[in-house]
Every structure is written in structure tokens, then in C-alpha cells.
């Protein structure tokens, strides 16, 4: 059965590659998404991506994934540190998820050290730059099983 991965990028990640290259690198979000799509296609995995600056849009996307998606890879951006709602949505749909951060959040400001998602994530990747997305997809493709009804 084909696997399905949903990649979600939260607020301001549309700016990737255009500002703050010392922290986030110089690769743009469309380049990240294209590489992720290619990686999934090579593995016969169905791939979808959402980037949104709006918490409610991310919540709706997570809800719509229920029954259709085997794994979520999410960089929640700053919502990582604020959003009980995204935590509740991920738990509500019962889809395994990998939390990705481009930067090493633990080497940054104290307010970035806490995540509302990490204790429920299958894995947390941070500080590997955009390679974190590739690693997360590789992990999901190897270890996350397709749902019977997906
Ligand atoms: O390191 C990460 O991936 C973060 O999730 C990025 C968030 C930040 O709030 C988290 O603490 C860690 C910020 C995303 C902002 O992305 C930008 C990219 C380029 C230029 C400006 C912002």
C-alpha cells in the first residue's frame, strides 16, 4: 500500500532563503518542497505540502489529513512555542508526526527551548538545516507504516 506524507511549514517559513541566511540558510521554501516531492516520488510516496502563516489554516489542514495521511512532518515555526491548538489537533487526528526545526532551537533564546509538540512527536530534528526535512522523510518512509484504511 502506498504511503502518504504531509509536510507542514508554519509562519514565516515562506521567507526561507531570502532573509537571515546565517540562521536558516540560503535555500528557498520552493526548493525545499521540490526536493521533498522528488524524494517522495522516488519512494512511491504520495506527498502534499502546506505553508501557512495562519494557525487556523494549519489546524484545518491537520484535520483534513485524518484517514488520508500516514505521517506528518511539521516545522511549526514560532507556533512550536505557543500553540496548544496545534498539539491538540495532531493528537486528535492520531497521525504520527516528526517535528523539524532548521536551527538548533536549544542554542537560541530560552523561549525557543520549549515545544508544545516534542513530547508527542515520534522524533524531533533540529539544527541540521534543511537536511532535517530530508532526514524526516527518510525516517518516515522507513519506519511509519501505512494505515489500513489510508
Ligand atoms: O529553526 C526553525 O526551523 C524554527 O522553527 C524557525 C522559526 C522559529 O520561530 C523557531 O523557533 C525555530 C522561525 C521561522 C522563520 O523563518 C524565517 C526564515 C527566513 C527568514 C526569516 C524567518
Amino acid at each position: 500500500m502506498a504511503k502518504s506524507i504531509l509536510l507542514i511549514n508554519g509562519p514565516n517559513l515562506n521567507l526561507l532563503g531570502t532573509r537571515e541566511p546565517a540562521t536558516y540558510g540560503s535555500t528557498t521554501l520552493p526548493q525545499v518542497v521540490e526536493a521533498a516531492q522528488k524524494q517522495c516520488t522516488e519512494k512511491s510516496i504520495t506527498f502534499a505540502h502546506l505553508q501557512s502563516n495562519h494557525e487556523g489554516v494549519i489546524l484545518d489542514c491537520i484535520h483534513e489529513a485524518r484517514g488520508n495521511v500516514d505521517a506528518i512532518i511539521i516545522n511549526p515555526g514560532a507556533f512550536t512555542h505557543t500553540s496548544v491548538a496545534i498539539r491538540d489537533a495532531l493528537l486528535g487526528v492520531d497521525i504520527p508526526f516528526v517535528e523539524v526545526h532548521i536551527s538548533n532551537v536549544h542554542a537560541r533564546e530560552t523561549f525557543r527551548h520549549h515545544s508544545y509538540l516534542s513530547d508527542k512527536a515520534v522524533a524531533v530534528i533540529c539544527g541540521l538545516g534543511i537536511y532535517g526535512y530530508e532526514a524526516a522523510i527518510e525516517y518516515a518512509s522507513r519506519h511509519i507504516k501505512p494505515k489500513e484504511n489510508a
Side-chain angles (χ1 to χ4, degrees):
M1 198 179 297
K3 285 188 193 179
S4 170
I5 289 177
L6 170 63
L7 173 62
I8 299 176
N9 279 289
N12 296 312
L13 285 156
N14 54 308
L15 299 177
L16 211 56
T18 66
R19 306 252 199 295
E20 301 187 47
T23 306
Y24 299 114
S26 55
T27 307
T28 64
L29 186 64
Q31 289 170 329
V32 168
V33 174
E34 189 183 343
Q37 171 72 76
K38 185 166 179 280
Q39 189 183 355
C40 286
T41 301
E42 284 169 2
K43 295 174 185 300
S44 301
I45 294 170
T46 303
F47 173 80
H49 172 251
L50 170 85
Q51 188 280 324
S52 180
N53 296 322
H54 305 279
E55 192 173 17
V57 173
I58 294 172
L59 296 178
D60 289 344
C61 180
I62 293 169
H63 293 171
E64 283 161 21
R66 187 178 193 180
N68 301 315
V69 166
D70 301 307
I72 294 176
I73 294 167
I74 182 165
N75 182 344
F79 290 149
T80 307
H81 319 297
T82 63
S83 184
V84 176
I86 291 178
R87 174 192 177 92
D88 287 346
L90 288 166
L91 293 179
V93 297
D94 196 26
I95 298 171
F97 67 94
V98 178
E99 179 181 344
V100 173
H101 300 286
I102 296 166
S103 64
N104 179 358
V105 285
H106 300 288
R108 301 182 65 189
E109 302 97 320
T110 312
F111 66 81
R112 295 186 202 275
H113 297 182
H114 177 260
S115 164
Y116 278 99
L117 307 186
S118 294
D119 63 310
K120 298 297 180 184
V122 173
V124 181
I125 299 171
C126 78
L128 296 184
I130 58 158
Y131 173 68
Y133 293 104
E134 185 181 336
I137 291 171
E138 184 63 34
Y139 179 86
S141 75
R142 289 192 198 192
H143 297 286
I144 294 175
K145 293 191 171 61
K147 274 194 179 163
E148 308 258 311
N149 60 346

